[in-house]
């Protein structure tokens, strides 16, 4: 038990150091820009349909749930505001990030893991380049940028999903649905949602690049990296959600904004 | 000239190389034979700094290379071209992209015309033709991928070639072709070659000297002629396979 905990802490520390090295490279502008734009486009293009569907249905689900809760109180006029607020601030970023971690995270871990076990990473070093600069950092930054856009796009679609479900399920027209959104959602709520999206993108990028790069042991090792990426990303996203809520709340309170 | 001085390499509690010492001669082809897990590939990876030695020293042309930092290893890696056990080609790149990877303008200072010329030259050395340049590695056979991998290394014009099991998984005809390529590349560029292999038949044909490793130690280092009359049991086991063929 103790050795498992120390082993986990050791890996966690290594992961943090690895992420710090990549961040340092990115901040120093030592990223292959061609690779970076390729990655952003690839991730965005491949995950857009999934994110749109997920975003749309998250909004729809929240609307149905809130409708069931507030209809007995005759407060359906607030349905749009409540459903959108909950979606943008909490549930939307969380669920869409889960989905992206399964799609982008697992794909990247498998891709990097395969490159590692088939010695492509070693070959890059032997050909005089740094795999961190050429392969890892572009993927890391690409995932952060593309995921952030995808999350925002998913959240916009969630409003559309809520709007449609409000009309179909609760008989609320679009004007009525949208009326109380500005009442319940301030620019601060949108800002909080965006910060969470950024944190989740960062978590997905860090976990999948680190675990992909650490892969050993052939096809079985690649499989394990993919599983570990899916599990650790989701757990880390939940932890990041709690941590970002806690920190943002404290900061906004101390600034007198809440 | 490459020299190993009492090199040890351990992974946690397991010692893979245990006090290895040898020198290579300029332009020779040295085969490194041994059973699986005796540290043959590790030995090559120590030379190019993909792994670090646990103890001892490695010298290349009067320079101690075993304690160089990652950022100082590029000249060593340029001198010692490594051909991996897997072709290790980049899936997303074309054959041209793979061949030119190590000589891109920012790495080599060459113009695009010079790069293309060099790529074509080395493609010819490994017996492949220009029409493959725009193909992706997945469109090539395994034997062709191995050749492209060798050509990619040759583009760096290394003084020393390190082959990690070049004929593993190949049919006898392709094995023979790869052996010929090792000879050609070595003779054309005057490179010293270190070839890690299980294949005694190839070693007897191609090598100038053969080094046999067992349990992390050198148990034999001799010319093919001397190896044939060796009394070392493991060497005899390898030889019996050749005789059975």
């Amino acid at each position: 038990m103790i050795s498992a905990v120390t082993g986990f802490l050791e890996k966690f520390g290594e992961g943090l150091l690895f992420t710090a090295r990549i961040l340092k490279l990115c901040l120093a502008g030592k990223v292959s820009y061609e690779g970076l734009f390729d990655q952003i486009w690839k991730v965005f293009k491949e995950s857009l349909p999934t994110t749109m569907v997920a975003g749309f249905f998250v909004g729809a689900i929240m609307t149905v749930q809130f409708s069931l809760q507030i209809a007995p109180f005759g407060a359906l006029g607030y349905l749009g505001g409540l459903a959108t607020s909950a979606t943008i601030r909490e549930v939307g970023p969380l669920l869409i990030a889960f989905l992206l971690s399964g799609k982008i995270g697992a794909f990247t871990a498998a891709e990097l893991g395969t490159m590692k076990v088939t010695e492509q990473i070693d070959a890059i070093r032997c050909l005089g380049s740094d795999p961190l600069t050429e392969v890892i950092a572009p993927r890391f930054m690409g995932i952060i940028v593309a995921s952030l856009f995808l999350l925002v796009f998913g959240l916009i679609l969630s409003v559309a999903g809520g709007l449609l479900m409000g009309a179909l399920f609760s008989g609320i027209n679009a004007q009525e649905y949208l009326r109380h959104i500005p009442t319940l959602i301030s620019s601060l709520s949108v800002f909080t949602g965006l910060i969470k999206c950024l944190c989740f993108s960062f978590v997905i990028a860090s976990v999948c690049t680190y675990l992909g790069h650490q892969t050993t042991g052939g096809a079985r090792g690649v499989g394990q990296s993919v599983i570990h990426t899916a599990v650790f990303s989701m757990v880390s996203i939940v932890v990041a959600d709690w941590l970002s809520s806690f920190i943002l709340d404290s900061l906004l309170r101390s600034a007198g904004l809440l | 000239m490459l020299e190993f001085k009492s090199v040890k390499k351990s992974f946690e509690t397991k010692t893979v190389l245990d006090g290895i010492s040898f020198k290579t001669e300029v332009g020779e082809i040295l085969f490194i034979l041994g059973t699986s897990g005796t540290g043959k590939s590790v030995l090559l990876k120590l030379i190019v700094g993909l792994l670090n030695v646990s103890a001892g020293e490695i010298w290349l042309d009067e320079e101690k290379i075993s304690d160089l930092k990652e950022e100082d290893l590029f000249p060593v890696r340029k001198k010692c071209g490594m051909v991996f056990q897997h072709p290790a080609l980049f899936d997303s790149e074309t054959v041209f992209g793979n061949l030119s990877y190590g000589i891109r303008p920012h790495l080599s200072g060459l113009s695009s015309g010079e790069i293309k010329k060099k790529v074509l030259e080395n493609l010819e050395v490994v017996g492949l033709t220009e029409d493959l340049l725009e193909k992706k590695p997945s469109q090539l056979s395994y034997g062709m991928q191995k050749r492209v991998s060798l050509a990619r290394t040759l583009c760096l014009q290394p003084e020393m070639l390190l082959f990690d099991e070049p004929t593993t998984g190949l049919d006898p005809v392709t094995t023979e072709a790869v052996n010929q390529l090792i000879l050609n590349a070595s003779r054309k560029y005057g490179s010293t070659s270190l070839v890690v292999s299980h294949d005694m038949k190839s070693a007897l044909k191609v090598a100038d000297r053969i080094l046999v490793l067992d349990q992390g130690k050198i148990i034999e280092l001799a010319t093919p002629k001397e190896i044939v009359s060796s009394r070392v049991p493991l060497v005899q086991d390898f030889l019996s396979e050749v005789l059975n063929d």
Side-chain angles (χ1 to χ4, degrees):
Chain A
M1 178 68 184
I2 292 171
S3 67
V5 172
T6 52
F8 172 78
L9 289 176
E10 200 177 307
K11 284 269 170 207
F12 186 73
E14 274 178 21
L16 286 180
L17 288 174
F18 178 81
T19 306
R21 273 176 71 195
I22 300 175
L23 271 179
K24 203 173 152 190
L25 283 174
C26 294
L27 292 174
K30 289 183 180 171
V31 185
S32 155
Y33 286 103
E34 196 188 331
L36 172 61
F37 292 123
D38 276 355
Q39 282 304 316
I40 293 173
W41 177 236
K42 200 171 106 184
V43 172
F44 190 77
K45 187 180 65 177
E46 285 177 6
S47 305
L48 185 62
T50 327
T51 314
M52 284 169 71
V53 173
F56 187 86
F57 281 100
V58 168
I61 292 163
M62 293 306 289
T63 302
V64 171
Q65 288 304 319
F66 272 105
S67 177
L68 292 172
Q69 300 291 320
I70 63 176
F73 301 100
L76 277 176
Y78 285 95
L79 180 62
L82 284 170
T84 309
S85 170
T87 307
I88 286 184
R89 292 163 69 123
E90 197 64 54
V91 185
L94 198 66
L95 288 181
I96 300 170
F98 276 173
L99 197 117
L100 289 176
S101 74
K103 189 166 170 71
I104 306 170
F107 175 80
T108 307
E111 190 185 25
L112 291 177
T114 306
M115 288 183 81
K116 186 83 191 300
V117 299
T118 57
E119 297 177 315
Q120 291 179 50
I121 299 284
D122 284 344
I124 292 172
R125 291 169 74 188
C126 284
L127 291 167
S129 298
D130 181 0
L132 286 186
T133 316
E134 301 264 336
V135 179
I136 313 280
R139 278 167 177 74
F140 180 84
M141 284 301 291
I143 290 171
I144 290 179
V145 175
S147 301
L148 186 59
F149 277 116
L150 286 165
L151 280 161
V152 172
F153 209 72
L155 291 181
I156 293 169
L157 258 294
S158 72
V159 178
L163 206 68
L164 183 72
M165 204 42 69
L168 293 178
F169 189 77
S170 313
I172 305 275
N173 64 33
Q175 204 181 4
E176 184 74 1
Y177 188 88
L178 296 170
R179 190 158 60 97
H180 281 296
I181 291 182
T183 321
L184 292 174
I185 301 175
S186 60
S187 50
L188 213 57
S189 314
V190 177
F191 172 75
T192 312
L194 287 177
I195 294 288
K196 281 191 177 177
C197 289
L198 184 65
C199 290
F200 298 161
S201 307
F202 185 80
V203 165
I204 295 169
S206 309
V207 172
C208 71
T209 49
Y210 172 66
L211 290 176
H213 186 254
Q214 293 298 309
T215 306
T216 51
R220 191 183 160 83
V222 175
Q224 278 177 336
S225 285
V226 172
I227 293 169
H228 289 156
T229 299
V231 174
F232 283 123
S233 302
M234 289 187 195
V235 174
S236 307
I237 286 168
V238 176
V239 175
D241 190 15
W242 166 76
L243 203 61
S244 58
S245 297
F246 180 73
I247 293 170
L248 280 170
D249 198 53
S250 306
L251 285 175
L252 293 174
R253 272 181 204 286
S254 62
L257 295 169
L258 279 181
Chain B
M1 193 184 65
L2 177 78
E3 185 172 6
F4 270 58
K5 293 180 180 176
S6 308
V7 170
K8 279 191 181 183
K9 177 66 188 171
S10 306
F11 294 99
E12 293 174 1
T13 52
K14 193 186 176 198
T15 301
V16 179
L17 292 176
D18 191 6
I20 297 284
S21 299
F22 69 91
K23 259 187 203 178
T24 60
E25 304 297 330
V26 177
E28 80 166 330
I29 299 176
L30 176 68
F31 261 66
I32 300 165
L33 263 65
T35 50
S36 298
T38 47
K40 306 185 296 295
S41 300
V42 169
L43 189 148
L44 292 190
K45 287 180 179 175
L46 291 175
I47 299 171
V48 286
L50 294 176
L51 294 172
N52 297 320
V53 297
S54 305
E57 295 172 357
I58 303 172
W59 289 73
L60 180 70
D61 296 336
E62 314 298 323
E63 187 194 2
K64 189 176 166 189
I65 57 168
S66 46
D67 51 6
L68 290 178
K69 289 180 184 161
E70 180 71 21
E71 55 268 28
D72 300 322
L73 278 165
F74 181 46
V76 175
R77 289 173 181 161
K78 202 165 179 292
K79 265 186 190 175
C80 305
M82 176 110 173
V83 183
F84 289 89
Q85 184 176 356
H86 298 282
L89 299 176
F90 311 127
D91 307 320
S92 54
E93 300 276 351
T94 60
V95 169
F96 180 80
N98 271 282
L99 290 178
S100 58
Y101 198 88
I103 51 170
R104 286 171 293 168
H106 70 279
L107 293 172
S108 64
L110 295 175
S111 68
S112 52
E114 288 169 321
I115 291 172
K116 175 112 196 237
K117 194 178 159 206
K118 208 169 202 182
V119 163
L120 289 174
E121 255 176 41
N122 287 297
L123 204 61
E124 199 185 325
V125 172
V126 298
L128 295 176
T129 50
E130 195 179 342
D131 57 305
L132 296 178
L133 282 180
E134 292 311 312
K135 294 206 166 169
K136 290 280 174 83
S138 58
Q139 297 173 281
L140 306 178
S141 69
Y142 190 69
M144 277 178 165
Q145 289 181 23
K146 283 226 168 192
R147 287 173 189 230
V148 172
S149 173
L150 171 58
R152 180 175 68 181
T153 305
L154 291 177
C155 281
L156 295 172
Q157 284 184 299
E159 290 169 22
M160 180 173 283
L161 282 163
L162 312 175
F163 295 90
D164 192 359
E165 304 201 16
T167 55
T168 301
L170 297 180
D171 60 80
V173 177
T174 318
T175 299
E176 184 53 38
V178 170
N179 286 336
Q180 203 54 48
L181 285 175
I182 294 170
L183 268 174
N184 285 351
S186 236
R187 301 298 176 240
K188 176 168 171 140
Y189 295 109
S191 321
T192 305
S193 295
L194 261 67
V195 186
V196 158
S197 179
H198 293 283
D199 185 0
M200 179 60 95
K201 197 174 166 187
S202 296
L204 292 174
K205 262 188 202 166
V206 179
D208 293 312
R209 284 193 302 161
I210 298 169
L211 183 156
V212 184
L213 277 177
D214 187 30
Q215 293 177 7
K217 291 184 186 294
I218 297 175
I219 54 165
E220 188 72 284
L221 176 56
T223 62
K225 239 182 197 175
E226 293 163 339
I227 282 280
V228 172
S229 51
S230 171
R231 292 274 157 227
V232 177
L234 182 68
V235 178
Q236 287 184 332
D237 287 346
F238 272 111
L239 285 168
S240 65
E241 278 179 28
V242 179
L243 292 174
N244 290 337
D245 280 355

